[in-house]
Amino acid sequence: MRLSASLLCIYFYALLSSGTSSSGDDRRWLVVLVDLVELDYVDHCEQRATATWNELIGGNKGLSTKLERDKAFGIFSKHQTTEVRKGLSGYTLAANDDVLKRKVKLLLQPGDTLLEPEQWIKLVTFGNTALHRIRFATDYDCGNNRSCTLRELQSSLARQQDEETLISMKKSWEQNLPDMTEYLEQILPLLRNASKENEHESVEDYWNFLVEYEGALLKARELWDNIKPLYIKLHKYVSLRLKGSDAVGNPLPVHLLKSLNGDDWSNIIESLLPQHPAIYQKVQANLQLKDLGGINAFKAAFNLIEELKLGELEADLWTDSIFNSTCPPVLLDWCKPNKVRIVSCKDVSLVNYVDAHEAAMKMKYKEIAAVHSNNTYILREAPRYSATFEAIPGFISLLALNPHALNRSGLFPLDVFSYNANHHRLVLQLITALQDLPKLNFYLAADEWRLKVLMGLIPYSKIPSSWSEFRKEFSLLETSDIDLLGDPYILFNKPFIGKFMGLILKYQIYHSFADELISDEHDLVNHVSENNERISNTMMQGFGRPWPEMISELLATRENGLEFTGLTDYYRLLDDYLDRQLDPPKESSDDYIEPVTEPSPEENEIIEISREKTEATIKDETHEDLLENVIDTGIDDLLAKFGAETSTVGVLEIKNPVHSGDQSKDVKEASYNTYWWIGIAVVLAIIVILIAIIARKRHNHRKQLERQRRDNTHA
Ligand SMILES: *[C@@H]1O[C@H](CO)[C@@H](O)[C@H](O)[C@H]1NC(C)=O
Ligand SMILES: *[C@@H]1O[C@H](CO)[C@@H](O)[C@H](O)[C@H]1NC(C)=O
Ligand SMILES: *[C@@H]1O[C@H](CO)[C@@H](O)[C@H](O)[C@H]1NC(C)=O
């Protein structure tokens, strides 16, 4: 109905503009046609967003309306392509008519919607139905045969210690995934058809075209070759800590990583922390204490975005979004300025905190692109995969863990940070590495495997088990054959290549700003806020230009391609640390300085509260665990007296701590006696010093308490 109205308008317009068809008239005709097509696209977007929203919040008939809208969209989009092509016939766009050319190009090559209608319908039906089931199933196994929802599954997976239970949790998730045979026979091959419809020889070409980067997959392979050594080191370190030195170099079962498909290893961080994990413990404790999950995490994110002078928060976001669903956050866009909503979860965790920053910045990105007047629909919502759209929000999430940002959000004081800056940086690097390195690997693995299957490089009979084979080889992980079907990008045949490149570019952006700082101690957040034009300029352009053309502006350098060095430079400290762990030097060089200041009473309180919280959650688990953990904590307390740092993770530590391999094997017999005597002398000296320190601290502490008591009675 709307469409015929649009066409009518064009005819009127054509009649009104004079009969002589000069090339100026042809252009005006085309501009009007494109405007009208874009308006119709906006209508569709709005209807689809409303339907998707109803489905996400579990509305009655949510799924069926969403399916209807999505089906209609494909047919509409294919039809519009024909209309634009007709409108273009006989007219050649002038070489300098950039914006119009760009719009026409994007409208003529919309990607998968060019599939034959029944094939498009097959694709969206498969994807939507599968996602709906994963999201709303209530028969996941949360341990002890207790059925639960996806949200509960995710949070109990993170806390579960028992290997058998972890396996059965993962199995219960796999039972809710769609059928692999159907995927392999009906869905994946649609990629070949979509490539053909978009006039590409191979699926790889098609994906390169969709991400708008020439030779994208080749480039990704090259980048990965240079990042792989770091990934392998991290993998070895994880094996060493989880399973001991014998396991190093062997594939790791993903359930041990407390992950469903191995694309994020954050859940095992407590088994991997270096000797002085103070920053992790305090940040974690403060997140709990300040309840920085759900809506609060997003508020913190918008505070950071405001500090970066990238804009303010939209008030109606809070009233309209929902925060009691599942993580990671889903963004919903109505394709008009100021109407984007979130569906997220309320659980407090570091990963959710970081993810909230990324999602919040994506909203801001969309808003900024929309407000900019030149970005009409197709230049905002182009059917393309942009690495800048991934990288800029990712960069903001990196900044969320910057020492100055942590200080301002009250998560970790800067003066304590500066005391052992490099050590704390190392811990922060570990936190992000556990998220990003496995993701990079997963993204490339999933794209490579799909290309291999489609190119017929895997014998037909071996295809069903080939994903886990591929993962073993490419990622050194033991996964199931079907776990990739839990990811929306797989279900809808979307390439990960844009996300892969976005992760690379995010570290390049970080590097470009960090490089301009005079010293590492300076406030990076402040520096970015003072030089944020290159970020906002990129966002304003939306899809007006292909993203690779904007790289050099964004990075304020002459490099205009992707480089792995941003990432490898960022993880320098982690890299060194992993080297030392995997191949310990003869003399241990622990340059951690014990803080001289005692934790303030409030800090102790925070730590106590968070300990109680953690214990309370642990109590849900088996009693056996609890008993052992309490014993662990006792020992921790003793140790803490010497180390002035209190541990909050004691209760969560793995049951069988792994000892770090073969030390002092090669101490020579001859020098044995000398070493022994020196050793005794050193130990004696240390004991004397420790006793003195403890006595003094006790004394000081008692004095302080007395002073407080006196103050209180006076008050
Ligand atoms: C792809 O297109 C061909 C030819 O149009 C068709 O026979 C085939 O069924 C399509 N593939 C799928 C998976 O629908
Ligand atoms: C989520 O919160 C909304 C109100 O904001 C409420 O209506 C709904 O029942 C809640 N859902 C769950 C699963 O708790
Ligand atoms: C963007 O729009 C403004 C007016 O809204 C116009 O002056 C300018 O030329 C446009 N830019 C491009 C690149 O078309």
PDB file of all heavy atoms in Angstrom, residues 119 122 185-187 189-190 193, ligand 1:
ATOM      1  N   GLN A 119      13.689 -19.235  -0.015  1.00  0.00           N
ATOM      2  CA  GLN A 119      14.976 -19.512   0.640  1.00  0.00           C
ATOM      3  C   GLN A 119      15.213 -18.537   1.800  1.00  0.00           C
ATOM      4  O   GLN A 119      15.702 -18.914   2.865  1.00  0.00           O
ATOM      5  CB  GLN A 119      16.117 -19.398  -0.383  1.00  0.00           C
ATOM      6  CG  GLN A 119      16.044 -20.478  -1.446  1.00  0.00           C
ATOM      7  CD  GLN A 119      17.102 -20.295  -2.519  1.00  0.00           C
ATOM      8  OE1 GLN A 119      18.079 -19.583  -2.351  1.00  0.00           O
ATOM      9  NE2 GLN A 119      16.896 -20.953  -3.650  1.00  0.00           N
ATOM     10  N   LYS A 122      13.164 -19.667   4.668  1.00  0.00           N
ATOM     11  CA  LYS A 122      13.794 -20.808   5.333  1.00  0.00           C
ATOM     12  C   LYS A 122      14.855 -20.318   6.333  1.00  0.00           C
ATOM     13  O   LYS A 122      14.938 -20.783   7.468  1.00  0.00           O
ATOM     14  CB  LYS A 122      14.430 -21.704   4.272  1.00  0.00           C
ATOM     15  CG  LYS A 122      14.516 -23.134   4.668  1.00  0.00           C
ATOM     16  CD  LYS A 122      14.679 -24.119   3.496  1.00  0.00           C
ATOM     17  CE  LYS A 122      15.636 -23.715   2.416  1.00  0.00           C
ATOM     18  NZ  LYS A 122      15.947 -24.774   1.439  1.00  0.00           N
ATOM     19  N   GLU A 185      22.333 -29.151   5.745  1.00  0.00           N
ATOM     20  CA  GLU A 185      21.741 -29.436   4.436  1.00  0.00           C
ATOM     21  C   GLU A 185      20.902 -28.285   3.900  1.00  0.00           C
ATOM     22  O   GLU A 185      20.816 -28.093   2.685  1.00  0.00           O
ATOM     23  CB  GLU A 185      20.900 -30.717   4.519  1.00  0.00           C
ATOM     24  CG  GLU A 185      21.805 -31.934   4.518  1.00  0.00           C
ATOM     25  CD  GLU A 185      21.071 -33.225   4.799  1.00  0.00           C
ATOM     26  OE1 GLU A 185      19.818 -33.193   4.838  1.00  0.00           O
ATOM     27  OE2 GLU A 185      21.742 -34.248   4.994  1.00  0.00           O
ATOM     28  N   GLN A 186      20.269 -27.546   4.808  1.00  0.00           N
ATOM     29  CA  GLN A 186      19.304 -26.542   4.349  1.00  0.00           C
ATOM     30  C   GLN A 186      19.775 -25.097   4.507  1.00  0.00           C
ATOM     31  O   GLN A 186      19.411 -24.249   3.715  1.00  0.00           O
ATOM     32  CB  GLN A 186      17.982 -26.695   5.134  1.00  0.00           C
ATOM     33  CG  GLN A 186      17.351 -28.055   5.029  1.00  0.00           C
ATOM     34  CD  GLN A 186      16.759 -28.282   3.643  1.00  0.00           C
ATOM     35  OE1 GLN A 186      16.249 -27.359   3.032  1.00  0.00           O
ATOM     36  NE2 GLN A 186      16.870 -29.508   3.150  1.00  0.00           N
ATOM     37  N   ILE A 187      20.533 -24.823   5.544  1.00  0.00           N
ATOM     38  CA  ILE A 187      20.805 -23.424   5.882  1.00  0.00           C
ATOM     39  C   ILE A 187      22.167 -22.955   5.384  1.00  0.00           C
ATOM     40  O   ILE A 187      22.266 -21.976   4.646  1.00  0.00           O
ATOM     41  CB  ILE A 187      20.689 -23.206   7.407  1.00  0.00           C
ATOM     42  CG1 ILE A 187      19.317 -23.664   7.895  1.00  0.00           C
ATOM     43  CG2 ILE A 187      20.940 -21.756   7.776  1.00  0.00           C
ATOM     44  CD1 ILE A 187      18.148 -22.975   7.216  1.00  0.00           C
ATOM     45  N   PRO A 189      24.142 -24.045   3.042  1.00  0.00           N
ATOM     46  CA  PRO A 189      24.292 -23.896   1.582  1.00  0.00           C
ATOM     47  C   PRO A 189      23.619 -22.650   1.016  1.00  0.00           C
ATOM     48  O   PRO A 189      23.941 -22.231  -0.100  1.00  0.00           O
ATOM     49  CB  PRO A 189      23.624 -25.152   1.017  1.00  0.00           C
ATOM     50  CG  PRO A 189      23.603 -26.127   2.136  1.00  0.00           C
ATOM     51  CD  PRO A 189      23.482 -25.322   3.384  1.00  0.00           C
ATOM     52  N   LEU A 190      22.708 -22.049   1.779  1.00  0.00           N
ATOM     53  CA  LEU A 190      22.069 -20.816   1.298  1.00  0.00           C
ATOM     54  C   LEU A 190      23.100 -19.724   1.052  1.00  0.00           C
ATOM     55  O   LEU A 190      22.880 -18.802   0.271  1.00  0.00           O
ATOM     56  CB  LEU A 190      21.039 -20.308   2.310  1.00  0.00           C
ATOM     57  CG  LEU A 190      19.754 -21.127   2.424  1.00  0.00           C
ATOM     58  CD1 LEU A 190      18.883 -20.569   3.533  1.00  0.00           C
ATOM     59  CD2 LEU A 190      18.992 -21.118   1.103  1.00  0.00           C
ATOM     60  N   ASN A 193      23.965 -19.618  -2.505  1.00  0.00           N
ATOM     61  CA  ASN A 193      22.919 -18.970  -3.299  1.00  0.00           C
ATOM     62  C   ASN A 193      22.947 -17.460  -3.112  1.00  0.00           C
ATOM     63  O   ASN A 193      22.812 -16.724  -4.076  1.00  0.00           O
ATOM     64  CB  ASN A 193      21.543 -19.524  -2.920  1.00  0.00           C
ATOM     65  CG  ASN A 193      21.394 -20.984  -3.327  1.00  0.00           C
ATOM     66  OD1 ASN A 193      22.398 -21.670  -3.523  1.00  0.00           O
ATOM     67  ND2 ASN A 193      20.169 -21.448  -3.463  1.00  0.00           N
TER      68      ASN A 193
HETATM   69  C1  LIG B   1      20.080 -22.735  -4.089  1.00  0.00           C
HETATM   70  O1  LIG B   1      19.624 -22.432  -5.360  1.00  0.00           O
HETATM   71  C2  LIG B   1      19.405 -23.571  -6.182  1.00  0.00           C
HETATM   72  C3  LIG B   1      19.056 -23.087  -7.601  1.00  0.00           C
HETATM   73  O2  LIG B   1      18.172 -22.025  -7.549  1.00  0.00           O
HETATM   74  C4  LIG B   1      18.328 -24.434  -5.587  1.00  0.00           C
HETATM   75  O3  LIG B   1      18.101 -25.590  -6.371  1.00  0.00           O
HETATM   76  C5  LIG B   1      18.762 -24.856  -4.192  1.00  0.00           C
HETATM   77  O4  LIG B   1      17.741 -25.563  -3.544  1.00  0.00           O
HETATM   78  C6  LIG B   1      19.114 -23.621  -3.361  1.00  0.00           C
HETATM   79  N1  LIG B   1      19.686 -24.046  -2.093  1.00  0.00           N
HETATM   80  C7  LIG B   1      19.002 -24.091  -0.971  1.00  0.00           C
HETATM   81  C8  LIG B   1      19.725 -24.580   0.224  1.00  0.00           C
HETATM   82  O5  LIG B   1      17.845 -23.752  -0.904  1.00  0.00           O
END
